[in-house]
Amino acid sequence: MSSKINLLICLFFILHLWAAANVTAQKIGIYEIKKGDFSVKVTNYGARVISVLLPDKHGNIGDVVLGYDTIQEYVNDTSSFGAIVGRVANRIGGARFTLNGTLYKLIANDGENTLHGGPKGFSHVVWKVSKYKKDGSDPRITLTYHSPDGEQGFPGDVLASVTYALKDPYKLIVVMKAKALNKATPVNLAQHTYWNLGGHNSGDILSNDIQIFASHITPLDDHFIPTGQIVPVKNTPYDFLKPRRVGSQFNKLKNGYDINYPLDSTKKMKPVAIVHDKKSGRLMNLQATSPAVQLYTSNTLVKKGKGGFVYQPYSALCLETQGFPDAVNHPNFPSTIVTPEKSYFHKMLFTFSVEKY
């Protein structure tokens, strides 16, 4: 008799899990916004950018972001391909911080640290599509997510949103907002697209020219946590104040770039970086309202991606505009604390063009 009861209980749980998985699957979709031959596809799983189609100097259309062919691969993804990462992007040392006298212990998912909000951060949840206009004069999509109090260890309820919009000529606008509904909490959202202007399957980005409008970095300890210092890039391999090849000083690095740059400009909308792929002619100019940007050159990437192409280390670069990493544990860094009275706002502007020389 007990074995029959146990079997019924097992069947109940299997059906329950199947139903939950099926409901989740129904909520996930792919949405395209399009303006002429400029197209961006987004999924509400992690509010991810999954493709950006642009012409090259010969007029050939190519996909310039790394990704996968199926939603299930994004669900299993560990590289944050195209995602909005949060509630706090980058690392929090020791997976803990103190706010208003209370110690908050987070879920560690990067050694002893918390990375990109924890194992189930904003990149691994289903966002709600609140507005969507595919084409016309103002194509855009807005996605929202309600993060509950205690999620991944963070205090308070947060309502987050991201809008992707296309403008002429070849401009992608990303606006991230967040409101703390009842408690002070850290918020630091970042857009984590892996860019390869030559095309997602064109090889490495080491020959790309890059210019970063930042004269300092925040150096890291052996666990990739900022030491709290802010040091100049002059006479170091981190100096991109003038355009030069991404890989031109790799011989002076342990393993590529994965570093935060405090931006020099004090303007609200700051120049961040310019990337140029000479072979395709494509150029990307990035501006943002954030105080810093993380340059990451996909140093350990080995993934089977779109069309079965295997991405290797240095197949793309990420320019994650953000607040300073681990700011919750460094009082000298700009604060990332959001309160019910002070909301979070973060705008990015990608301007794409073609240089034919």
Side-chain angles (χ1 to χ4, degrees), residues 195-259:
W195 299 98
N196 186 325
L197 296 180
H200 79 95
N201 57 353
S202 64
D204 66 59
I205 44 78
L206 300 182
S207 62
N208 283 187
D209 286 338
I210 186 169
Q211 182 176 15
I212 300 176
F213 298 94
S215 54
H216 293 79
I217 57 168
T218 52
L220 306 173
D221 64 18
D222 292 338
H223 302 285
F224 295 95
I225 301 300
T227 63
Q229 298 173 295
I230 301 174
V231 302
V233 297
K234 188 175 181 180
N235 298 323
T236 77
Y238 298 99
D239 186 353
F240 289 103
L241 284 167
K242 293 182 179 180
R244 62 177 175 82
R245 285 183 297 109
V246 172
S248 60
Q249 297 196 53
F250 258 43
N251 61 327
K252 299 178 182 178
L253 301 169
K254 287 184 179 180
N255 187 23
Y257 293 96
D258 191 5
I259 194 72

